[in-house]
Amino acid sequence: MRTYKDKEELKDEINKSFEKYISEFDNIPESLKDKRIIEVDRTPAENLAYQVGWTTLVLKWEDDEKHGIEVKTPSDMFKWNQLGDLYQWFTDTYSHFSLSELKDRLKENITSIHTMIDSMSEEELFQPHMRKWADDATKAAVWEVYKFIHVNTVAPFGTFRTKIRKWKKIAL
């Protein structure tokens, strides 16, 4: 997994991958947001809903811990062995919004993740055992907070950018 020398490098990489990802939706007409094609597993709305869902969860984990609320990862309703159900919940919860609304929600989440990063010390972000939610989410491995941020922003923005590009090539 990618490592970062500091907060600024992490935020820069989030911005770079986010801008490339989100720009892919600029030329998709709203009328095609739910168009399903066999070659790609998600519609444009579902693609964005997935990103909105995961970034919302990361923010919720941190916010709940700060407020003394017991954090259940990945969510209060789903366990790690129920990710398919969680992804369906993301679709059911968010994909009915317009592409513009989904893009705006995701932009807001990315701004909030930047604020979250800025509110942490370098140690809180890059050292293990700094957040109970991070420790509880990984029973077998030790993950620092930045890894959760990376796997829910930079990594899927790249993967899902490839998926939406393939969707556009076929559907548009």
Side-chain angles (χ1 to χ4, degrees):
M1 179 179 306
R2 164 98 194 252
T3 58
Y4 300 91
K5 67 178 179 166
D6 58 24
K7 294 186 207 190
E8 293 307 314
E9 186 177 45
L10 174 60
K11 291 189 319 184
D12 288 347
E13 191 61 28
I14 292 168
N15 280 344
K16 187 170 71 176
S17 61
F18 173 71
E19 289 303 325
K20 287 178 182 177
Y21 169 74
I22 205 74
S23 69
E24 294 295 341
F25 295 88
D26 289 348
N27 63 346
I28 298 175
E30 187 64 33
S31 61
L32 297 180
K33 81 177 191 81
D34 298 315
K35 181 176 175 70
R36 188 161 308 281
I37 61 170
I38 193 103
E39 298 88 348
V40 180
D41 63 344
R42 288 180 173 90
T43 68
E46 290 169 347
N47 188 306
L48 283 164
Y50 179 94
Q51 307 303 328
V52 170
W54 274 114
T55 54
T56 299
L57 282 179
V58 169
L59 292 164
K60 182 180 182 335
W61 298 337
E62 179 66 10
D63 190 57
D64 283 356
E65 183 160 325
K66 279 186 170 181
H67 288 96
I69 299 168
E70 182 184 354
V71 178
K72 291 188 174 98
T73 56
S75 81
D76 298 333
M77 299 182 300
F78 302 98
K79 297 183 185 321
W80 288 109
N81 64 353
Q82 298 174 301
L83 291 179
D85 293 333
L86 177 61
Y87 302 158
Q88 186 59 54
W89 187 85
F90 291 161
T91 295
D92 296 345
T93 303
Y94 300 112
S95 69
H96 66 278
F97 291 107
S98 71
L99 292 178
S100 178
E101 289 168 322
L102 286 164
K103 286 169 53 176
D104 287 345
R105 281 178 180 245
L106 188 53
K107 285 177 190 173
E108 288 169 14
N109 282 0
I110 294 305
T111 298
S112 295
I113 286 172
H114 279 238
T115 301
M116 178 180 131
I117 291 168
D118 286 339
S119 74
M120 295 177 158
S121 67
E122 297 284 336
E123 293 76 23
E124 288 173 311
L125 197 56
F126 295 107
Q127 296 299 316
H129 310 300
M130 294 303 212
R131 290 295 189 273
K132 188 169 178 3
W133 63 257
D135 286 345
D136 289 350
T138 55
K139 300 296 184 201
V142 175
W143 272 34
E144 300 82 0
V145 170
Y146 89 88
K147 287 182 181 177
F148 284 96
I149 294 170
H150 173 88
V151 301
N152 289 295
T153 59
V154 176
F157 291 157
T159 303
F160 280 67
R161 179 176 181 233
T162 301
K163 290 179 183 230
I164 199 63
R165 289 171 68 91
K166 183 175 182 178
W167 181 94
K168 287 169 38 176
K169 202 175 224 182
I170 296 166
L172 295 182

